Each structure stands twice: as C-alpha cells, then as structure tokens.
C-alpha cells in the first residue's frame, strides 16, 4: 500500500503563540495576499487574492485558539495557466498547528490534497515554502512580511 505524501512545512519562529494565531486569523495580508475578511470564526468563508486574476477561497472548519486552525478550500482561480490546478485545490484541507519546541514557537502546515503527483505541486509547494518559511517567519520575527502586493 502506497503512502500518500501531502505537502507539509514546519518553521520555528521567535514569536508568541498568540501572534502566530493572529497572523492566521487577523493579519493574512501582512505576509500572504489580500484577504477580504478576517478568518476568525468557524464557518466563515474568506478569500485571499493575488491581483485580479488569482485567488483562493477557504472555509474556516476549526479554530482552537493558539493551537490549531483548519481551512477547507472552497473555490480557486489561479493565473498559473496549468490545466487542472483549480480543480486540484477544491476540497483540499489546510491544517495549521501551533506548538512549542524549546523556547521557540513551532508552526506547521499540512496541506492535505497537495501531493507530489498533482499538477500544481511544484509551483504550489514553492509558493507555500516562500510564504511560510520566508514571508510569515519574517513578519512574526520582525513585523515585516513579504506579501503579494498588487
């Protein structure tokens, strides 16, 4: 039986769990893309946009303050022009976990459904790597992320 490998990214940050949680529920625009509403309540649907031609919409499935957040992708329109990419994102689940290792906060994202055999894995995993390990980490540690700016 073949084990499915879903995209996973983990990053230690010099920050506080509350700030990490708020970066995912109130401050997405500071490190990722333009967010139309704060994803700060279960059941809420929000859209993260990258210009006029590219966006993802998610539903907040679960919020456990300062510990876990779960989103489900409910709509996708990407401008990468890769056939099947939007359909591949639909229904995927994003599991954010906030914990501690030593004196650092440890943030993990598991994007269930983003797998190496998918059409968007290369471009999407590189995007996640940048936005989490670079932009979000910088935002949490220095106050200055590198979000997409139109």
């Amino acid at each position: 039986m073949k084990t499915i490998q879903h995209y996973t990214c983990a990053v230690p940050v010099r920050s506080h769990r509350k700030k990490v949680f708020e970066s995912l529920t109130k401050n997405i625009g500071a490190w990722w893309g333009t967010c139309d509403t704060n994803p700060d309540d279960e059941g809420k649907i929000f859209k993260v946009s990258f210009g006029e031609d590219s966006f993802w919409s998610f539903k907040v499935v679960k919020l456990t303050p300062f510990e876990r957040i779960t989103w489900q992708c409910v709509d996708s329109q990407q401008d990468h022009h890769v056939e099947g990419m939007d359909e591949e994102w639909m229904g995927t689940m994003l599991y954010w976990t906030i914990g501690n290792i030593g004196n650092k906060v440890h943030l993990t994202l598991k994007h269930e459904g983003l797998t190496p055999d998918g059409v968007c894995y290369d471009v999407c995993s590189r995007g996640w790597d940048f936005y989490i390990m670079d932009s979000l980490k910088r935002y949490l540690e220095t106050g200055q992320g590198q979000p997409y700016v139109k």
Side-chain angles (χ1 to χ4, degrees):
M1 182 175 196
K2 183 179 176 184
T3 302
I4 297 174
Q5 297 294 321
H6 301 277
Y7 174 83
T8 303
C9 176
V11 61
V13 293
R14 291 182 314 272
S15 190
H16 301 281
R17 290 166 73 125
K18 181 178 180 183
K19 185 172 182 182
V20 174
F21 185 78
E22 288 177 350
S23 72
L24 300 168
T25 58
K26 297 184 186 319
N27 301 315
I28 289 174
W31 61 270
W32 192 14
T34 302
C35 192
D36 68 345
T37 189
N38 288 333
D40 55 2
D41 198 17
E42 289 181 8
K44 204 172 213 182
I45 294 177
F46 66 101
K47 183 190 319 188
V48 180
S49 301
F50 298 83
E52 296 178 17
D53 297 328
S54 192
F55 69 84
W56 292 270
S57 292
F58 300 94
K59 178 180 181 180
V60 179
V61 176
K62 182 88 172 151
L63 279 178
T64 305
F66 320 120
E67 293 180 15
R68 287 187 180 82
I69 298 170
T70 303
W71 300 338
Q72 180 179 32
C73 183
V74 296
D75 198 5
S76 173
Q77 178 178 307
Q78 300 176 43
D79 63 358
H80 297 292
H81 309 294
V82 176
E83 188 175 331
M85 186 179 278
D86 292 323
E87 295 82 3
E88 198 167 86
W89 270 72
M90 295 297 296
T92 62
M93 302 294 290
L94 285 72
Y95 299 98
W96 300 93
T97 305
I98 305 165
N100 288 90
I101 295 181
N103 62 349
K104 290 190 178 183
V105 173
H106 193 79
L107 175 65
T108 303
L109 168 65
K110 178 180 180 184
H111 187 160
E112 190 173 276
L114 181 58
T115 60
D117 61 344
V119 297
C120 91
Y121 187 80
D122 289 338
V123 69
C124 294
S125 63
R126 283 193 310 270
W128 274 135
D129 287 350
F130 170 75
Y131 283 112
I132 297 167
M133 292 190 288
D134 192 332
S135 184
L136 178 55
K137 181 176 175 69
R138 281 185 198 208
Y139 170 70
L140 291 168
E141 294 183 345
T142 71
Q144 292 292 320
Q146 293 183 292
Y148 174 87
V149 179
K150 181 179 173 185

